[in-house]
Amino acid sequence: MKLKSAKTHTQKDRLILPEDLIRKANQQKREGKLNEAITKYRRAIKLSPNSFILYQNLGDALAQKGLLEEAVLEFKKAIELNPRSALSHGYLGEVAIKQKLFDEAIFYFDRAIEIQPKCHKYYNSLGLALMEKEQYDLAVTCFQKAIELKPDSCWGYYNLSQVLSKQDKLSLASSYYQKAIRLNPQLSNDSKKSNNIVSPPKDNLEMAFTGERYIPNVKGQIRYEHLHRYGLCLEIVRGKSVLDIASGEGYGSAILSQTASSVVGVDIDIESVKFAENKYQDKSNLKFLVGQCNSIPLPSESIDIVVSFETIEHHDQHEEMMQEIQRVLKKDGILVISSPNRLVYSDLPNYHNPFHVKELYREEFVDLLNKYFLYFTLYGQKICMGSFVYSLNDNDKYYITHYTSNDQEVLRKNCSLDDPVYFVALCSNNFNRIQYALDSVYLDKNDSLERASSETSSYTINTTIISCSQDDPEALWGFNVDQATQVNTSSTVELMLKGWVLGKKSTVEAIQIIHNHVVVKQVLIDFPRPDVAQAYSHLPDAGMSGFETIVDIGELVEQGELLIQAVCSNKSCIPLKKVQFQVVATEKQ
């Protein structure tokens, strides 16, 4: 018998193999594939047993998986190899907080600060540990130091607001909380993913607007659209049991509870449900539950009216959603549902809403409704300009006469507008239940034509892309900002940024968009770039090295500069490009 010779690795193989393993492990850790990442880190450690970073990354993966005791062992091995590793000490502090070992956490964060005294994150984390020990004055000092070190970070202000609220300094706490929200409107979502997770101040009863869910303190076109839809239902739900799917902040469910006998708001987000329960707790006929549109936590045939506004486009399980709606509806129940018109909302303006998963064209929406209901009436909704003549005497009359023109004469007739931005459908298996006239107008007495005109004027954004100097030209394989162009929408002033970046010394995990030293947007590097994959075919990460994001310039200033920088896995940041912009309003005719 001839024995096959065992395969041997050359010195070159030994050098390349750990690097490939580390890159893949880091990628899998970012993707949440923790078991695969842990396996690869262990293999890499066998090949490079003296690399403290490998033990550190392995510990991080184990901690994310909840294997805290194993994670502690790996972090301590990293510290044995590199006693001056502030990050390893910081990781140990975070694990200690999860284990509720707050004295240990304080020890490790103190050590991390001793090694790296200008890192604001360690002061924030130390402050959180001190809060748990009810050492509030020391915690305040830590958060103030964090703000001093990084005044453009929301977390110092946010955490300071929390400790001040525990000291019953509510007015001061609220001011710091609002400062945190101004620095980072995504704070409410980010806090769910962060170790710095603490409740908003007691006196704050508003959620931060992230763009995913409407909240009632947001003004402008979006307010008209959302409040009008719920207003349509006030007579339909009178005296009925109602389900509001994807209830979000809860404002819509609260509106429905004005006339309904009972309302249940269901939302997938636990924090939103908790918020709504707290804010609207005074309404005895209203409750909120955690659930999904494809798994509604209610008995079969228990609901008279289901309301689903701007829900269906946020997922792709449309059939499952409709089946669940039919299950909970009584046999002659009603569904009131809205959906953006993909043609007008997205295709024509070349606009992409990052929170939308699957939008529908009119034919697709109609086909879906036809499949599950015998009868439905379809309406369109859009914002348009008009003139109103109205009584100056206080009265409750509801009727309004419609006038329009054909460029030759003025006619007294209802006017059906072309190209609706949204569809609204009234559906039932009982023909008599959909005999409501939803044709209507929503008015806000605090708005005027002049204000509306100024808010919806056309704008042009002029941009110039400028290169940044590189402190370490070898840090990256390459990068580019391919596009900084205006997004054509009538109600916002937005800039589309596209590009790619490939890390060489360290993997690039995200891109930050910075304005006046404040991070206004952060996006992951996860956009397909086949052109980059072809140019860098030897790099496995090249195919997904792109980024694409939209920045609302209207929330910033009329002219300014955006810094686009790469955030690496080793916590370093590399400036890539600057985008100078100027917003110019189109002259009115």
Side-chain angles (χ1 to χ4, degrees):
M1 177 184 296
K2 183 178 180 180
L3 297 176
K4 294 183 179 180
S5 60
K7 183 177 179 180
T8 59
H9 291 288
T10 65
Q11 184 64 28
K12 181 179 179 181
D13 292 329
R14 293 181 184 278
L15 290 174
I16 294 175
L17 188 55
E19 180 182 336
D20 293 339
L21 282 172
I22 295 167
R23 184 184 300 112
K24 188 64 175 176
N26 289 343
Q27 178 182 344
Q28 290 175 332
K29 180 157 72 79
R30 292 195 303 272
E31 295 171 349
K33 300 175 181 177
L34 298 177
N35 288 333
E36 294 92 329
I38 289 168
T39 299
K40 287 182 173 61
Y41 282 133
R42 293 194 191 281
R43 286 175 56 196
I45 285 172
K46 289 181 180 179
L47 295 164
S48 300
N50 295 321
S51 171
F52 80 95
I53 293 178
L54 290 178
Y55 292 101
Q56 185 174 273
N57 288 355
L58 173 57
D60 184 29
L62 290 166
Q64 290 185 43
K65 191 172 171 58
L67 302 174
L68 301 184
E69 293 183 2
E70 293 184 41
V72 168
L73 294 176
E74 301 305 329
F75 291 139
K76 288 183 175 180
K77 289 177 183 176
I79 290 174
E80 288 177 14
L81 292 169
N82 183 7
R84 298 286 299 171
S85 172
L87 187 56
S88 295
H89 284 90
Y91 277 141
L92 278 171
E94 291 175 8
V95 170
I97 285 181
K98 292 177 181 178
Q99 294 175 315
K100 300 190 182 303
L101 303 173
F102 301 116
D103 288 325
E104 287 191 22
I106 291 169
F107 169 80
Y108 286 120
F109 288 130
D110 273 334
R111 178 62 177 145
I113 289 171
E114 180 185 334
I115 298 169
Q116 195 172 345
K118 294 187 178 181
C119 179
H120 70 103
K121 294 180 180 179
Y122 297 141
Y123 284 99
N124 270 319
S125 298
L126 176 58
L128 292 174
L130 290 166
M131 280 178 63
E132 295 291 345
K133 297 288 291 182
E134 298 185 0
Q135 298 180 32
Y136 297 139
D137 289 338
L138 290 176
V140 167
T141 301
C142 286
F143 298 140
Q144 288 174 335
K145 183 65 176 179
I147 292 171
E148 176 189 329
L149 290 170
K150 195 168 179 62
D152 58 350
S153 170
C154 64
W155 287 116
Y157 300 97
Y158 185 79
N159 292 334
L160 183 55
S161 74
Q162 308 312 295
V163 68
L164 289 171
S165 69
K166 289 182 179 293
Q167 295 177 310
D168 291 327
K169 300 176 181 179
L170 299 183
S171 178
L172 190 57
S174 181
S175 66
Y176 279 111
Y177 180 78
Q178 295 304 322
K179 172 69 173 177
I181 293 297
R182 287 195 296 272
L183 285 172
N184 184 4
Q186 298 287 342
L187 180 61
S188 295
N189 284 343
D190 292 343
S191 65
K192 299 169 194 173
K193 305 173 185 177
S194 169
N195 289 324
N196 302 347
I197 182 163
V198 277
S199 302
K202 298 174 186 177
D203 59 342
N204 181 69
L205 290 178
E206 297 298 338
M207 294 175 67
F209 180 60
T210 66
E212 184 174 11
R213 294 176 174 86
Y214 173 73
I215 57 176
N217 63 351
V218 173
K219 308 298 182 183
Q221 176 175 327
I222 189 173
R223 176 182 176 86
Y224 279 61
E225 293 165 346
H226 283 72
L227 296 187
H228 192 181
R229 284 192 282 264
Y230 278 103
L232 294 174
C233 297
L234 287 174
E235 287 305 312
I236 298 174
V237 305
R238 185 174 295 278
K240 304 295 184 181
S241 58
V242 180
L243 163 64
D244 183 18
I245 296 181
S247 50
E249 189 266 4
Y251 76 96
S253 302
I255 292 173
L256 299 173
S257 73
Q258 295 173 203
T259 57
S261 63
S262 64
V263 179
V264 179
V266 172
D267 199 277
I268 193 173
D269 183 63
I270 297 175
E271 295 302 317
S272 293
V273 170
K274 289 180 179 178
F275 180 92
E277 287 177 330
N278 178 55
K279 183 172 182 178
Y280 301 104
Q281 58 184 299
D282 60 326
K283 298 185 180 297
S284 59
N285 64 336
L286 173 60
K287 67 177 181 179
F288 295 93
L289 299 174
V290 177
Q292 301 183 44
C293 58
N294 63 353
S295 180
I296 300 171
L298 292 175
S300 300
E301 299 186 23
S302 60
I303 294 295
D304 293 313
I305 314 289
V306 172
V307 174
S308 174
F309 290 147
E310 301 309 286
T311 306
I312 198 166
E313 69 275 13
H314 288 267
H315 62 87
D316 58 5
Q317 300 184 48
H318 297 173
E319 300 287 343
E320 293 86 347
M321 173 180 169
M322 297 299 286
Q323 290 166 10
E324 273 293 272
I325 289 173
Q326 277 208 329
R327 181 185 66 80
V328 301
L329 269 179
K330 295 178 181 179
K331 291 184 179 179
D332 61 348
I334 297 173
L335 167 66
V336 190
I337 184 172
S338 72
S339 172
N341 177 1
R342 179 175 173 178
L343 176 65
V344 178
Y345 184 92
S346 295
D347 291 358
L348 295 179
N350 191 28
Y351 172 68
H352 170 66
N353 187 319
F355 299 109
H356 289 187
V357 175
K358 185 179 180 181
E359 297 171 0
L360 298 176
Y361 293 108
R362 176 173 179 166
E363 296 77 11
E364 294 173 322
F365 189 49
V366 167
D367 287 346
L368 185 68
L369 299 179
N370 265 325
K371 186 173 180 179
Y372 290 94
F373 291 93
L374 295 177
Y375 309 101
F376 69 87
T377 307
L378 190 64
Y379 295 84
Q381 182 187 21
K382 70 184 298 184
I383 300 292
C384 62
M385 198 65 71
S387 170
F388 295 88
V389 176
Y390 49 92
S391 172
L392 296 181
N393 300 317
D394 292 335
N395 61 65
D396 293 328
K397 293 180 180 179
Y398 288 90
Y399 66 84
I400 186 168
T401 304
H402 295 255
Y403 293 90
T404 187
S405 68
N406 59 9
D407 294 332
Q408 296 178 348
E409 56 184 340
V410 174
L411 306 173
R412 177 174 175 173
K413 61 176 290 188
N414 287 346
C415 176
S416 179
L417 301 171
D418 295 330
D419 301 326
V421 182
Y422 301 94
F423 301 120
V424 180
L426 188 63
C427 317
S428 180
N429 289 321
N430 184 335
F431 178 75
N432 293 324
R433 298 300 304 279
I434 62 169
Q435 301 309 302
Y436 292 90
L438 300 189
D439 305 84
S440 56
V441 174
Y442 175 87
L443 298 176
D444 188 329
K445 66 179 182 179
N446 295 316
D447 273 352
S448 65
L449 175 64
E450 288 79 14
R451 182 180 295 120
S453 176
S454 66
E455 289 179 352
T456 58
S457 296
S458 297
Y459 294 89
T460 299
I461 307 177
N462 300 322
T463 60
T464 304
I465 301 176
I466 302 172
S467 297
C468 296
S469 60
Q470 300 294 315
D471 294 334
D472 183 2
E474 296 299 315
L476 303 172
W477 287 103
F479 65 91
N480 195 26
V481 176
D482 307 318
Q483 185 176 332
T485 56
Q486 180 175 351
V487 178
N488 294 318
T489 63
S490 61
S491 59
T492 57
V493 186
E494 296 178 328
L495 198 62
M496 169 73 78
L497 300 174
K498 293 183 180 181
W500 64 275
V501 58
L502 271 174
K504 188 174 185 180
K505 292 185 176 180
S506 180
T507 303
V508 177
E509 297 182 334
I511 287 293
Q512 288 182 339
I513 315 298
I514 298 172
H515 179 260
N516 281 349
H517 308 291
V518 176
V519 177
V520 296
K521 203 75 176 286
Q522 179 164 311
V523 290
L524 295 178
I525 300 297
D526 58 2
F527 199 79
R529 289 299 299 248
D531 56 330
V532 180
Q534 184 175 3
Y536 294 88
S537 56
H538 63 292
L539 299 177
D541 295 338
M544 296 295 289
S545 61
F547 63 89
E548 179 176 319
T549 189
I550 294 175
V551 179
D552 190 345
I553 300 297
E555 294 181 350
L556 305 177
V557 291
E558 292 184 357
Q559 62 181 4
E561 186 175 83
L562 300 176
L563 170 64
I564 303 175
Q565 71 176 13
V567 181
C568 301
S569 58
N570 64 0
K571 311 301 180 184
S572 65
C573 295
I574 304 174
L576 302 179
K577 298 274 189 176
K578 292 180 180 179
V579 178
Q580 294 179 339
F581 65 87
Q582 182 177 21
V583 181
V584 181
T586 302
E587 184 176 347
K588 299 176 185 178
Q589 300 297 318

